[in-house]
Amino acid sequence: MRKLEEVLEDWEAVIGLEIHAELTTLDTKMFCGCKLEFGAEPNTHTCPVCLGLPGALPVPNKAAIESIVLAGLATNCDIEKHSMFYRKTYMYPDMSKNYQTTQGPVAFCMRGHLDLEVDGAAAKERIDVANLAAGESRGNVTRIEDGYTAHVGITRIHMEEDAGKMVHIGGGEGRIAGATHSLVDYNRAGTPLTELVTEPDLRTPEEARLFMQKLRQIYLSLGISDCSMEEGSMRCDGNVSLRRRGDTKLGVKTELKNMNSFKNLHDGLAYEICRQAEVLEEGGQIFQETRHWDPSAKRTIVMRVKETADDYRLFPDPDLAPYDLTDEWIDNVRAKLPELPDQKAARFSSAFSLSAYDARHLIEHRATANFFEACMELAGDDAAKLAKPVANLVINDVTAYLNAHEGVELDETPLTPARALALVKLTTEDVISSKQAKEVFAAVLDEDKDPAAIVEERGMKQVSDTGAIEAVIDAVLAANPDKVAQYQGGKTGLIGFFVGQVMKEMRGQGNPKVINELLAKKLG
Ligand SMILES: [Zn+2]
C-alpha cells in the first residue's frame, strides 16, 4: 500500500465524524432516577423505566437537556425550541426496551460549526493549501502563517440514551466469537448520550483528530462529560470516501468503528484512505460497509455490508410530549457558559502578548493551561516579561515529558508552578544557559528538588565573565584559521560553528549571549 502523503497527492479524502459523549457528570439517567456510576456492581442501577418494563413511564432529565444545550451553544449551533423524542427500533439484548429513545429530524442543536487551527506537521497532510498565500481562502480553509484554519460544519447534536453492556464469556479477548455465553449489565442502559454529527467537511486524518480534540476540550470545559475515550464515555465513528483531486462527485463511503484514542482515530482513517486508494487504483469497487479498526493488526476489517439504507422505523415516542424550550430558559443556560478554549487562547494571547500559536498549544490540555496560569500568577509584575519563556517551557519540555509518561498527571509530578518559574528565571537572568536548563528540568522531575538546589549541587553556574570567555574564543579562532578566513569572506553562517566550539570548550557553561557578542566583535 502507498503512503498517506502519496495517496493524498492524487486523491481527496472526504471525512465526516459521528461523536458520542455520555453525560457522565450528571447524577441520574436520561428518563429515570437511576444513579449514573461507572464501574458499579452489575445491574444495581436499574428500574422499570430503563429496563423497559410494561407500563413504566419515562420523564426527561432536565439537567441532561441543559447539558446538550450548553454543548450546542459552545459549538455555534442554533438551539431548536421545539423538538421531540422518537423511538428507534433496536433489537439487541443490551437494550431490553427493544427501542432506543432518540431524536428525529429536529434535534436540540442544529447547524453549528467549529474552526480548526491546523499548524506545523499536522498541516502537511493537506497538500492543496500549500500554494495559498497567507490570508487567502479556498473552500472551507484559510491559509495562516504556519498552517491553515478549516471551518467545519456541525449538522446537529441530538439527545439519546446509551445501551447496556454485554460481557462475552469464553471467547478470546472478550469477543463474541467462540464465547459460550454472554452476560448483560444494564447499569449503563439509559445513560444520557449526546451524538454530534459533522458535515463531510474534513479532508485529512489530522483534521479529524484535531476536531475530536477540540470538541473534547470544549466538553471538558463545560463539565458535561469526563470524555474518557478509554472507558468509552466519548466515542468516535468516521465516514470516509475518496475522489480524484478536482472531482466534485462524492465516492462510496465506508464507516469506521473502534477508534478509541486520538492516535487510533488518525491511524484508522489514514489506513482506510490508503486501502480505498489501492482498491480504486486497481480498478476495484468500494462497498458501503462498516469496518472495524484493529490497532494491533494495523488494518480495518469488514463488520457488515450495507445494501440499503438502514430502516429504523423511527416514530414519535407516544410516552414523551414534544419538548418546548423558552428564550428565557435558553438565555439562562447561555449565562452559565464558562470560558471556552478559544476564548482562553485569545485571552492568553492578549494578556501576555503571546503568539496565536503559543496560546493555542498552551490551552490544548486543561492541565497545561492551568499550570501556565498558575506560573503567571506567581510571576506577578514580571508576568509580561516571563510569559514567553514560561510558555516555551510548558509547550516544549512539559508537553514532551507528559507525552513520554502516559497516565502521569502534571499536578502529581515534582514540577510545581513555583519550580517552573524559578527555572525560567535562572535562564532569563543568565545564571544558567538554556542547555543547562534542560538538565535542571530533567533533574527537578527525577530528584524532586528545587532548581536552585540542583544548580548549586552540580556547580552549574553559567560563566558570563568576559575575560574568561575571551580567552577561550581566542584559542578557538587561533585553532581554525581557515574557517575564520571563510567567515570573513562572507560565510557568516559559520558563527554557529564558532559558538559551538566555544561552548564545547566551556563544557556548556558559557553564556551564549556573551559568546555571540564577543565573537561578532572579534570576527567583525
Ligand atoms: Zn432506571
Side-chain angles (χ1 to χ4, degrees):
M1 255 174 26
R2 292 202 292 159
K3 280 190 186 149
L4 180 69
E5 306 92 84
E6 292 168 24
V7 168
L8 291 177
E9 298 264 331
D10 302 331
W11 299 91
E12 182 177 45
V14 177
I15 303 167
L17 299 178
E18 289 171 13
I19 301 170
H20 282 96
E22 286 177 349
L23 301 176
T24 51
T25 54
L26 296 176
D27 299 328
T28 56
K29 292 188 183 180
M30 189 60 221
F31 298 108
C32 62
C34 287
K35 201 176 156 200
L36 282 182
E37 188 186 6
F38 182 81
E41 189 73 9
N43 297 310
T44 50
H45 299 312
T46 60
C47 74
V49 173
C50 55
L51 291 175
L53 301 187
L57 282 176
V59 178
N61 181 340
K62 263 192 199 153
I65 292 163
E66 184 175 312
S67 296
I68 195 170
V69 169
L70 273 174
L73 291 171
T75 51
N76 311 295
C77 287
D78 296 336
I79 305 303
E80 292 286 352
K81 285 190 278 181
H82 310 286
S83 63
M84 290 169 78
F85 285 105
Y86 282 63
R87 290 186 180 186
K88 180 172 159 182
T89 302
Y90 178 95
M91 295 284 274
Y92 203 65
D94 61 2
M95 186 77 109
S96 61
K97 290 159 72 175
N98 285 347
Y99 63 86
Q100 181 190 32
T101 309
T102 179
Q103 290 197 279
V106 179
F108 283 118
C109 315
M110 306 286 289
R111 299 170 297 276
H113 72 267
L114 284 181
D115 290 321
L116 301 180
E117 293 82 15
V118 192
D119 57 40
K124 296 215 164 62
E125 285 184 1
R126 183 118 186 194
I127 59 149
D128 55 329
V129 298
N131 52 6
L132 292 181
E136 200 183 333
S137 300
R138 182 193 295 149
N140 70 334
V141 297
T142 304
R143 190 92 163 91
I144 52 171
E145 208 176 317
D146 48 358
Y148 62 93
T149 59
H151 182 89
V152 181
I154 294 168
T155 316
R156 56 190 274 142
I157 314 176
H158 64 254
M159 191 78 240
E160 54 186 35
E161 56 180 339
D162 213 348
K165 216 170 125 185
M166 302 274 291
V167 184
H168 307 294
I169 310 293
E173 287 173 33
R175 297 260 182 89
I176 195 163
T180 54
H181 60 288
S182 300
L183 303 171
V184 202
D185 175 9
Y186 287 114
N187 282 350
R188 199 179 66 181
T191 296
L193 186 66
T194 61
E195 179 177 352
L196 178 147
V197 182
T198 76
E199 292 291 310
D201 287 345
L202 300 155
R203 293 290 175 270
T204 70
E206 275 294 351
E207 287 178 14
R209 190 181 65 81
L210 288 167
F211 184 91
M212 181 75 173
Q213 201 172 320
K214 184 157 193 170
L215 187 69
R216 186 169 180 272
Q217 285 168 11
I218 291 172
Y219 283 3
L220 284 172
S221 69
L222 295 175
I224 58 174
S225 173
D226 64 7
C227 299
S228 165
M229 294 176 75
E230 221 165 67
E231 290 172 358
S233 57
M234 194 170 189
R235 315 190 273 271
C236 182
D237 300 333
N239 290 303
V240 58
S241 67
L242 294 192
R243 62 186 171 196
R244 285 276 178 193
R245 289 225 165 260
D247 280 2
T248 47
K249 201 170 157 268
L250 289 171
V252 177
K253 65 183 179 189
T254 57
E255 189 183 355
L256 226 56
K257 301 247 181 211
N258 194 40
M259 299 182 290
N260 56 0
S261 70
F262 292 117
K263 187 177 187 312
N264 283 334
L265 173 61
H266 178 276
D267 294 354
L269 287 169
Y271 174 89
E272 183 59 16
I273 290 167
C274 297
R275 185 194 71 82
Q276 288 191 13
E278 191 175 68
V279 171
L280 293 168
E281 282 163 10
E282 286 173 356
Q285 197 186 342
I286 300 299
F287 296 99
Q288 196 182 332
E289 60 197 7
T290 304
R291 301 180 69 92
H292 175 97
W293 167 242
D294 182 343
S296 52
K298 296 202 185 312
R299 62 195 180 106
T300 61
I301 306 152
V302 185
M303 284 168 75
R304 58 177 181 267
V305 179
K306 286 183 184 176
E307 288 179 347
T308 53
D310 295 319
D311 185 354
Y312 295 113
R313 304 270 160 168
L314 214 65
F315 70 95
D317 192 317
D319 287 341
L320 289 158
Y323 214 90
D324 287 327
L325 304 175
T326 63
D327 284 324
E328 192 193 354
W329 186 86
I330 296 169
D331 286 342
N332 278 336
V333 176
R334 199 190 310 274
K336 293 181 185 173
L337 278 173
E339 182 181 47
L340 295 168
D342 277 356
Q343 293 167 331
K344 183 172 288 209
R347 178 168 61 83
F348 279 5
S349 181
S350 70
F352 306 114
S353 309
L354 293 173
S355 68
Y357 177 94
D358 285 344
R360 198 152 68 229
H361 287 276
L362 280 173
I363 60 105
E364 221 163 71
H365 303 286
R366 252 199 317 184
T368 50
N370 291 343
F371 190 85
F372 173 79
E373 276 210 283
C375 291
M376 289 298 95
E377 240 164 69
L378 289 173
D381 291 345
D382 290 334
K385 198 176 75 194
L386 294 172
K388 175 65 182 161
V390 171
N392 285 346
L393 182 84
V394 173
I395 295 168
N396 301 319
D397 306 81
V398 174
T399 306
Y401 178 84
L402 292 176
N403 287 343
H405 297 79
E406 217 178 309
V408 172
E409 300 289 339
L410 182 52
D411 55 10
E412 292 166 359
T413 70
L415 185 75
T416 59
R419 282 173 168 175
L421 193 69
L423 173 59
V424 165
K425 277 186 177 167
L426 286 170
T427 326
T428 55
E429 286 164 9
D430 283 334
V431 178
I432 56 171
S433 69
S434 51
K435 202 176 158 205
Q436 289 171 322
K438 300 262 178 214
E439 189 184 328
V440 175
F441 177 79
V444 168
L445 286 157
D446 280 351
E447 299 171 20
D448 193 358
K449 284 179 189 157
D450 288 337
I454 294 161
V455 167
E456 194 62 45
E457 268 174 31
R458 303 192 179 191
M460 285 174 85
K461 300 263 158 104
Q462 172 170 256
V463 178
S464 301
D465 170 33
T466 49
I469 293 175
E470 230 167 324
V472 180
I473 289 179
D474 287 341
V476 166
L477 297 186
N480 298 283
D482 49 332
K483 292 233 164 46
V484 173
Q486 283 173 22
Y487 178 92
Q488 282 160 347
K491 277 190 79 178
T492 50
L494 278 169
I495 189 80
F497 164 80
F498 293 118
V499 173
Q501 290 297 308
V502 174
M503 253 326 188
K504 200 172 143 198
E505 286 296 316
M506 302 187 71
R507 297 196 315 278
Q509 298 197 357
N511 179 336
K513 209 156 64 185
V514 178
I515 295 174
N516 267 297
E517 280 167 14
L518 288 175
L519 264 172
K521 209 185 290 172
K522 283 190 181 278
L523 285 164

